[in-house]
PDB file of all heavy atoms in Angstrom:
ATOM      1  N   TRP A 198     -22.992  17.382  -2.712  1.00 95.00           N
ATOM      2  CA  TRP A 198     -22.874  17.749  -1.312  1.00 95.00           C
ATOM      3  C   TRP A 198     -23.369  19.132  -0.933  1.00 95.00           C
ATOM      4  O   TRP A 198     -23.866  19.350   0.165  1.00 95.00           O
ATOM      5  CB  TRP A 198     -21.397  17.587  -0.912  1.00 95.00           C
ATOM      6  CG  TRP A 198     -21.113  17.762   0.525  1.00 95.00           C
ATOM      7  CD1 TRP A 198     -20.207  18.613   1.085  1.00 95.00           C
ATOM      8  CD2 TRP A 198     -21.732  17.080   1.619  1.00 95.00           C
ATOM      9  NE1 TRP A 198     -20.238  18.505   2.433  1.00 95.00           N
ATOM     10  CE2 TRP A 198     -21.167  17.569   2.791  1.00 95.00           C
ATOM     11  CE3 TRP A 198     -22.738  16.116   1.707  1.00 95.00           C
ATOM     12  CZ2 TRP A 198     -21.558  17.131   4.047  1.00 95.00           C
ATOM     13  CZ3 TRP A 198     -23.135  15.682   2.960  1.00 95.00           C
ATOM     14  CH2 TRP A 198     -22.540  16.180   4.092  1.00 95.00           C
ATOM     15  N   TRP A 199     -23.213  20.135  -1.841  1.00 96.00           N
ATOM     16  CA  TRP A 199     -23.435  21.513  -1.407  1.00 96.00           C
ATOM     17  C   TRP A 199     -24.873  21.751  -0.963  1.00 96.00           C
ATOM     18  O   TRP A 199     -25.116  22.533  -0.033  1.00 96.00           O
ATOM     19  CB  TRP A 199     -23.032  22.513  -2.498  1.00 96.00           C
ATOM     20  CG  TRP A 199     -23.942  22.532  -3.693  1.00 96.00           C
ATOM     21  CD1 TRP A 199     -23.857  21.735  -4.794  1.00 96.00           C
ATOM     22  CD2 TRP A 199     -25.080  23.383  -3.908  1.00 96.00           C
ATOM     23  NE1 TRP A 199     -24.864  22.026  -5.672  1.00 96.00           N
ATOM     24  CE2 TRP A 199     -25.630  23.037  -5.162  1.00 96.00           C
ATOM     25  CE3 TRP A 199     -25.681  24.400  -3.167  1.00 96.00           C
ATOM     26  CZ2 TRP A 199     -26.758  23.658  -5.684  1.00 96.00           C
ATOM     27  CZ3 TRP A 199     -26.815  25.019  -3.698  1.00 96.00           C
ATOM     28  CH2 TRP A 199     -27.337  24.650  -4.945  1.00 96.00           C
ATOM     29  N   GLY A 200     -25.847  21.062  -1.582  1.00 95.00           N
ATOM     30  CA  GLY A 200     -27.242  21.270  -1.226  1.00 95.00           C
ATOM     31  C   GLY A 200     -27.525  20.860   0.214  1.00 95.00           C
ATOM     32  O   GLY A 200     -28.331  21.496   0.906  1.00 95.00           O
ATOM     33  N   PHE A 201     -26.859  19.811   0.670  1.00 95.00           N
ATOM     34  CA  PHE A 201     -27.002  19.362   2.061  1.00 95.00           C
ATOM     35  C   PHE A 201     -26.610  20.490   3.002  1.00 95.00           C
ATOM     36  O   PHE A 201     -27.336  20.836   3.936  1.00 95.00           O
ATOM     37  CB  PHE A 201     -26.130  18.126   2.287  1.00 95.00           C
ATOM     38  CG  PHE A 201     -26.153  17.611   3.701  1.00 95.00           C
ATOM     39  CD1 PHE A 201     -27.196  16.830   4.145  1.00 95.00           C
ATOM     40  CD2 PHE A 201     -25.111  17.907   4.575  1.00 95.00           C
ATOM     41  CE1 PHE A 201     -27.214  16.346   5.446  1.00 95.00           C
ATOM     42  CE2 PHE A 201     -25.128  17.434   5.874  1.00 95.00           C
ATOM     43  CZ  PHE A 201     -26.181  16.656   6.311  1.00 95.00           C
ATOM     44  N   LEU A 202     -25.439  21.098   2.730  1.00 95.00           N
ATOM     45  CA  LEU A 202     -24.965  22.176   3.592  1.00 95.00           C
ATOM     46  C   LEU A 202     -25.897  23.381   3.521  1.00 95.00           C
ATOM     47  O   LEU A 202     -26.189  24.005   4.544  1.00 95.00           O
ATOM     48  CB  LEU A 202     -23.545  22.582   3.198  1.00 95.00           C
ATOM     49  CG  LEU A 202     -22.474  21.541   3.522  1.00 95.00           C
ATOM     50  CD1 LEU A 202     -21.121  21.983   3.003  1.00 95.00           C
ATOM     51  CD2 LEU A 202     -22.398  21.289   5.021  1.00 95.00           C
ATOM     52  N   ALA A 203     -26.377  23.699   2.313  1.00 96.00           N
ATOM     53  CA  ALA A 203     -27.290  24.837   2.175  1.00 96.00           C
ATOM     54  C   ALA A 203     -28.516  24.641   3.065  1.00 96.00           C
ATOM     55  O   ALA A 203     -28.942  25.558   3.776  1.00 96.00           O
ATOM     56  CB  ALA A 203     -27.701  25.012   0.719  1.00 96.00           C
ATOM     57  N   VAL A 204     -29.061  23.426   3.047  1.00 94.00           N
ATOM     58  CA  VAL A 204     -30.267  23.148   3.828  1.00 94.00           C
ATOM     59  C   VAL A 204     -29.983  23.188   5.331  1.00 94.00           C
ATOM     60  O   VAL A 204     -30.756  23.746   6.119  1.00 94.00           O
ATOM     61  CB  VAL A 204     -30.858  21.783   3.394  1.00 94.00           C
ATOM     62  CG1 VAL A 204     -31.903  21.310   4.373  1.00 94.00           C
ATOM     63  CG2 VAL A 204     -31.443  21.896   1.997  1.00 94.00           C
ATOM     64  N   ILE A 205     -28.842  22.618   5.741  1.00 93.00           N
ATOM     65  CA  ILE A 205     -28.463  22.650   7.164  1.00 93.00           C
ATOM     66  C   ILE A 205     -28.259  24.087   7.632  1.00 93.00           C
ATOM     67  O   ILE A 205     -28.738  24.485   8.696  1.00 93.00           O
ATOM     68  CB  ILE A 205     -27.155  21.868   7.374  1.00 93.00           C
ATOM     69  CG1 ILE A 205     -27.394  20.406   7.057  1.00 93.00           C
ATOM     70  CG2 ILE A 205     -26.620  22.081   8.788  1.00 93.00           C
ATOM     71  CD1 ILE A 205     -27.036  19.473   8.123  1.00 93.00           C
ATOM     72  N   PHE A 206     -27.540  24.873   6.826  1.00 94.00           N
ATOM     73  CA  PHE A 206     -27.271  26.254   7.226  1.00 94.00           C
ATOM     74  C   PHE A 206     -28.556  27.066   7.257  1.00 94.00           C
ATOM     75  O   PHE A 206     -28.730  27.917   8.129  1.00 94.00           O
ATOM     76  CB  PHE A 206     -26.239  26.895   6.288  1.00 94.00           C
ATOM     77  CG  PHE A 206     -24.849  26.336   6.463  1.00 94.00           C
ATOM     78  CD1 PHE A 206     -23.992  26.211   5.381  1.00 94.00           C
ATOM     79  CD2 PHE A 206     -24.399  25.940   7.713  1.00 94.00           C
ATOM     80  CE1 PHE A 206     -22.715  25.686   5.540  1.00 94.00           C
ATOM     81  CE2 PHE A 206     -23.125  25.417   7.890  1.00 94.00           C
ATOM     82  CZ  PHE A 206     -22.283  25.287   6.797  1.00 94.00           C
ATOM     83  N   LEU A 207     -29.469  26.800   6.319  1.00 94.00           N
ATOM     84  CA  LEU A 207     -30.745  27.527   6.328  1.00 94.00           C
ATOM     85  C   LEU A 207     -31.511  27.220   7.614  1.00 94.00           C
ATOM     86  O   LEU A 207     -32.061  28.128   8.247  1.00 94.00           O
ATOM     87  CB  LEU A 207     -31.586  27.168   5.105  1.00 94.00           C
ATOM     88  CG  LEU A 207     -32.964  27.836   5.075  1.00 94.00           C
ATOM     89  CD1 LEU A 207     -32.836  29.339   4.992  1.00 94.00           C
ATOM     90  CD2 LEU A 207     -33.802  27.327   3.913  1.00 94.00           C
ATOM     91  N   ALA A 208     -31.521  25.942   8.012  1.00 91.00           N
ATOM     92  CA  ALA A 208     -32.212  25.564   9.245  1.00 91.00           C
ATOM     93  C   ALA A 208     -31.633  26.334  10.432  1.00 91.00           C
ATOM     94  O   ALA A 208     -32.369  26.801  11.306  1.00 91.00           O
ATOM     95  CB  ALA A 208     -32.100  24.059   9.476  1.00 91.00           C
ATOM     96  N   ALA A 209     -30.310  26.493  10.451  1.00 92.00           N
ATOM     97  CA  ALA A 209     -29.672  27.235  11.548  1.00 92.00           C
ATOM     98  C   ALA A 209     -29.997  28.723  11.442  1.00 92.00           C
ATOM     99  O   ALA A 209     -30.286  29.379  12.446  1.00 92.00           O
ATOM    100  CB  ALA A 209     -28.161  27.004  11.519  1.00 92.00           C
ATOM    101  N   LEU A 210     -29.961  29.257  10.220  1.00 92.00           N
ATOM    102  CA  LEU A 210     -30.199  30.696  10.032  1.00 92.00           C
ATOM    103  C   LEU A 210     -31.600  31.098  10.461  1.00 92.00           C
ATOM    104  O   LEU A 210     -31.832  32.215  10.904  1.00 92.00           O
ATOM    105  CB  LEU A 210     -29.991  31.078   8.560  1.00 92.00           C
ATOM    106  CG  LEU A 210     -28.551  31.155   8.062  1.00 92.00           C
ATOM    107  CD1 LEU A 210     -28.518  31.444   6.576  1.00 92.00           C
ATOM    108  CD2 LEU A 210     -27.787  32.233   8.821  1.00 92.00           C
ATOM    109  N   ARG A 211     -32.538  30.157  10.308  1.00 90.00           N
ATOM    110  CA  ARG A 211     -33.921  30.501  10.662  1.00 90.00           C
ATOM    111  C   ARG A 211     -34.093  30.645  12.157  1.00 90.00           C
ATOM    112  O   ARG A 211     -35.107  31.168  12.620  1.00 90.00           O
ATOM    113  CB  ARG A 211     -34.883  29.453  10.089  1.00 90.00           C
ATOM    114  CG  ARG A 211     -34.954  29.571   8.580  1.00 90.00           C
ATOM    115  CD  ARG A 211     -35.688  28.427   7.972  1.00 90.00           C
ATOM    116  NE  ARG A 211     -37.135  28.621   8.074  1.00 90.00           N
ATOM    117  CZ  ARG A 211     -38.000  27.869   7.415  1.00 90.00           C
ATOM    118  NH1 ARG A 211     -37.594  26.909   6.641  1.00 90.00           N
ATOM    119  NH2 ARG A 211     -39.282  28.080   7.542  1.00 90.00           N
ATOM    120  N   GLN A 212     -33.104  30.170  12.928  1.00 89.00           N
ATOM    121  CA  GLN A 212     -33.163  30.347  14.384  1.00 89.00           C
ATOM    122  C   GLN A 212     -32.660  31.731  14.805  1.00 89.00           C
ATOM    123  O   GLN A 212     -32.834  32.131  15.947  1.00 89.00           O
ATOM    124  CB  GLN A 212     -32.303  29.282  15.097  1.00 89.00           C
ATOM    125  CG  GLN A 212     -32.566  27.855  14.659  1.00 89.00           C
ATOM    126  CD  GLN A 212     -33.936  27.385  15.054  1.00 89.00           C
ATOM    127  OE1 GLN A 212     -34.390  27.644  16.152  1.00 89.00           O
ATOM    128  NE2 GLN A 212     -34.624  26.722  14.126  1.00 89.00           N
ATOM    129  N   VAL A 213     -31.992  32.437  13.897  1.00 90.00           N
ATOM    130  CA  VAL A 213     -31.484  33.768  14.235  1.00 90.00           C
ATOM    131  C   VAL A 213     -32.672  34.716  14.382  1.00 90.00           C
ATOM    132  O   VAL A 213     -33.522  34.769  13.502  1.00 90.00           O
ATOM    133  CB  VAL A 213     -30.537  34.292  13.125  1.00 90.00           C
ATOM    134  CG1 VAL A 213     -30.011  35.673  13.479  1.00 90.00           C
ATOM    135  CG2 VAL A 213     -29.396  33.321  12.916  1.00 90.00           C
ATOM    136  N   PRO A 214     -32.736  35.460  15.525  1.00 90.00           N
ATOM    137  CA  PRO A 214     -33.894  36.342  15.741  1.00 90.00           C
ATOM    138  C   PRO A 214     -34.065  37.331  14.598  1.00 90.00           C
ATOM    139  O   PRO A 214     -33.101  37.978  14.179  1.00 90.00           O
ATOM    140  CB  PRO A 214     -33.537  37.078  17.032  1.00 90.00           C
ATOM    141  CG  PRO A 214     -32.510  36.234  17.700  1.00 90.00           C
ATOM    142  CD  PRO A 214     -31.801  35.481  16.639  1.00 90.00           C
ATOM    143  N   GLN A 215     -35.292  37.422  14.107  1.00 86.00           N
ATOM    144  CA  GLN A 215     -35.594  38.287  12.973  1.00 86.00           C
ATOM    145  C   GLN A 215     -35.234  39.746  13.267  1.00 86.00           C
ATOM    146  O   GLN A 215     -34.801  40.477  12.382  1.00 86.00           O
ATOM    147  CB  GLN A 215     -37.088  38.147  12.633  1.00 86.00           C
ATOM    148  CG  GLN A 215     -37.495  38.720  11.288  1.00 86.00           C
ATOM    149  CD  GLN A 215     -36.807  38.017  10.124  1.00 86.00           C
ATOM    150  OE1 GLN A 215     -36.595  36.817  10.164  1.00 86.00           O
ATOM    151  NE2 GLN A 215     -36.426  38.782   9.117  1.00 86.00           N
ATOM    152  N   GLU A 216     -35.380  40.158  14.556  1.00 88.00           N
ATOM    153  CA  GLU A 216     -35.107  41.564  14.910  1.00 88.00           C
ATOM    154  C   GLU A 216     -33.657  41.926  14.631  1.00 88.00           C
ATOM    155  O   GLU A 216     -33.342  43.036  14.219  1.00 88.00           O
ATOM    156  CB  GLU A 216     -35.402  41.843  16.387  1.00 88.00           C
ATOM    157  CG  GLU A 216     -36.802  41.472  16.847  1.00 88.00           C
ATOM    158  CD  GLU A 216     -36.916  40.025  17.253  1.00 88.00           C
ATOM    159  OE1 GLU A 216     -36.296  39.656  18.264  1.00 88.00           O
ATOM    160  OE2 GLU A 216     -37.600  39.246  16.546  1.00 88.00           O
ATOM    161  N   MET A 217     -32.767  40.971  14.882  1.00 87.00           N
ATOM    162  CA  MET A 217     -31.347  41.235  14.648  1.00 87.00           C
ATOM    163  C   MET A 217     -31.096  41.542  13.176  1.00 87.00           C
ATOM    164  O   MET A 217     -30.360  42.457  12.828  1.00 87.00           O
ATOM    165  CB  MET A 217     -30.507  40.011  15.052  1.00 87.00           C
ATOM    166  CG  MET A 217     -30.055  40.035  16.497  1.00 87.00           C
ATOM    167  SD  MET A 217     -29.319  38.452  16.946  1.00 87.00           S
ATOM    168  CE  MET A 217     -27.730  38.592  16.152  1.00 87.00           C
ATOM    169  N   VAL A 218     -31.727  40.738  12.329  1.00 84.00           N
ATOM    170  CA  VAL A 218     -31.556  40.926  10.888  1.00 84.00           C
ATOM    171  C   VAL A 218     -32.142  42.261  10.468  1.00 84.00           C
ATOM    172  O   VAL A 218     -31.503  43.050   9.754  1.00 84.00           O
ATOM    173  CB  VAL A 218     -32.235  39.756  10.118  1.00 84.00           C
ATOM    174  CG1 VAL A 218     -32.104  39.962   8.615  1.00 84.00           C
ATOM    175  CG2 VAL A 218     -31.635  38.436  10.542  1.00 84.00           C
ATOM    176  N   GLU A 219     -33.357  42.566  10.960  1.00 84.00           N
ATOM    177  CA  GLU A 219     -34.020  43.818  10.599  1.00 84.00           C
ATOM    178  C   GLU A 219     -33.205  45.016  11.062  1.00 84.00           C
ATOM    179  O   GLU A 219     -33.007  45.979  10.314  1.00 84.00           O
ATOM    180  CB  GLU A 219     -35.429  43.865  11.220  1.00 84.00           C
ATOM    181  CG  GLU A 219     -36.422  42.920  10.570  1.00 84.00           C
ATOM    182  CD  GLU A 219     -36.559  43.146   9.069  1.00 84.00           C
ATOM    183  OE1 GLU A 219     -36.574  44.315   8.643  1.00 84.00           O
ATOM    184  OE2 GLU A 219     -36.613  42.144   8.326  1.00 84.00           O
ATOM    185  N   ALA A 220     -32.699  44.938  12.302  1.00 87.00           N
ATOM    186  CA  ALA A 220     -31.915  46.052  12.857  1.00 87.00           C
ATOM    187  C   ALA A 220     -30.687  46.311  11.996  1.00 87.00           C
ATOM    188  O   ALA A 220     -30.355  47.460  11.689  1.00 87.00           O
ATOM    189  CB  ALA A 220     -31.503  45.740  14.290  1.00 87.00           C
TER     190      ALA A 220
END
Side-chain angles (χ1 to χ4, degrees):
Chain A
W198 187 234
W199 70 273
F201 178 80
L202 290 176
V204 167
I205 295 235
F206 289 146
L207 177 63
L210 285 176
R211 290 170 80 168
Q212 310 293 318
V213 180
Q215 194 62 36
E216 305 86 67
M217 270 171 76
V218 178
E219 288 304 320

